[in-house]
Amino acid sequence: MPSSFTESPQRVRTLTSPDGTKIWAESAGDASRPAIVFVHGLSCTALGWDEQFADAGLRESFHLVRYEMRGHGRSGKPLEEKDYESLKIAQDFRTVCEAFGVVKPFMAGWSLGGSIVVDVVTAYGPDCISGVIYIGGSILALHYHPACRHPVMTKLFPAITSLASDDLSAGAEEFVDSCVKAPLTFPAKLLFMGGFIMQPRAARYWSLKRMQDHTVWERTAGHLPVLVVQGKEDQHCLYETMISIAKRIYDDVEVHLMDGIGHSPHFESPIETNRVIYNWVKRKTERRAKL
């Protein structure tokens, strides 16, 4: 799927997190409107959100912000475990929000990006965000990843973290192929693989294996409204298990299941995904305005 969104140089920023790590970020849409901050998945980049940033309805009604997590894409790629401490992950998010004047955004996390909610809530409390959108087999918390991990992803893990270049190349292709149900076009496949290959192995490893305390989030975030946008053919996540855990932790969980869609609803079926996000955020912001 070719990108239909062109970056605006005026709204692209390279920011500096408190520990000195550079964080690439971009905004689009109406900065006076409610904000949605999009966080991509493991070994991917913010380009995965191009179809959301190109959507006229989303751009007119919301302030859209996306950034690339440390260790990914155009952001800095530190290699030590200490560089992936939970507080530093949360500070990256806060740095992006402050740069674009964002207050109490909705967080939209794809796959690994969903777990950043835990870091943010632990560092700054649940009321620093307005709600959570989990897209495509999101990792609710690193603590729950093993229980929700699909056997395909479990099998892939040794290859995608291997030190051997041949293993890594083959692992990257398998990983990318498993992100969707229908085969990717060659340009789209290169887009995904580029994000994977440019990431150092250590950054990939610590992004998944870092320490993360889930207890504060689990104890305090229950009142946040949650939307789950999920493909039924996901090969990375046992989504029924993930949804059951989400419903145990959060009081208000809306689930939208998509037939014939894999791990990447926002990429595989962007029109439907955008419509669901638009309607849900609209409802939640209108309800909040009446309170």
Side-chain angles (χ1 to χ4, degrees), residues 56-283:
L58 291 177
R59 289 168 64 92
E60 290 169 6
S61 297
F62 307 114
H63 185 195
L64 310 179
V65 176
R66 58 179 169 179
Y67 71 99
E68 289 174 346
M69 293 186 287
R70 61 175 55 214
H72 294 75
R74 291 155 284 189
S75 290
K77 302 175 184 66
L79 302 178
E80 304 297 326
E81 180 179 9
K82 64 179 178 60
D83 298 314
Y84 293 86
E85 294 172 353
S86 179
L87 178 59
K88 293 178 180 178
I89 302 295
Q91 288 173 333
D92 295 345
F93 175 84
R94 186 172 188 174
T95 296
V96 172
C97 289
E98 290 178 346
F100 292 108
V102 168
V103 178
K104 285 183 69 71
F106 290 87
M107 288 186 71
W110 170 43
S111 194
L112 180 66
S115 70
I116 307 305
V117 174
V118 176
D119 304 295
V120 171
V121 168
T122 299
Y124 307 118
D127 293 330
C128 72
I129 57 177
S130 292
V132 185
I133 305 167
Y134 291 115
I135 300 173
S138 281
I139 298 175
L140 299 173
L142 296 180
H143 171 77
Y144 289 116
H145 187 215
C148 299
R149 189 167 54 218
H150 194 284
V152 169
M153 187 60 180
T154 299
K155 181 182 177 182
L156 276 173
F157 189 77
I160 65 177
T161 57
S162 174
L163 288 172
S165 58
D166 289 344
D167 290 346
L168 185 61
S169 178
E173 190 163 5
E174 289 184 55
F175 175 80
V176 167
D177 287 342
S178 69
C179 285
V180 294
K181 171 61 176 175
L184 291 164
T185 65
F186 190 61
K189 188 168 186 174
L190 291 183
L191 175 73
F192 275 78
M193 288 193 68
F196 187 102
I197 294 298
M198 73 188 297
Q199 181 182 46
R201 170 201 164 275
R204 183 176 305 111
Y205 182 87
W206 291 122
S207 293
L208 272 176
K209 291 294 187 178
R210 65 187 178 87
M211 297 296 295
Q212 183 188 64
D213 179 9
H214 65 288
T215 58
V216 173
W217 160 78
E218 190 163 337
R219 188 176 66 250
T220 65
H223 65 285
L224 292 172
V226 167
L227 171 65
V228 177
V229 183
Q230 179 62 49
K232 291 184 178 180
E233 304 296 332
D234 195 327
Q235 294 187 75
H236 286 203
C237 177
L238 300 173
Y239 69 86
E240 291 177 336
T241 302
M242 180 270 288
I243 291 170
S244 70
I245 295 172
K247 289 183 174 180
R248 176 170 59 82
I249 293 167
Y250 295 107
D251 300 327
D252 176 10
V253 179
E254 181 175 322
V255 178
H256 183 82
L257 296 178
M258 301 169 73
D259 293 322
I261 298 299
H263 188 60
S264 310
H266 61 296
F267 187 86
E268 298 173 76
S269 186
I271 294 175
E272 182 177 357
T273 298
N274 294 350
R275 175 180 55 79
V276 172
I277 291 173
Y278 177 93
N279 289 337
W280 184 82
V281 177
K282 270 288 192 182
R283 289 201 312 272

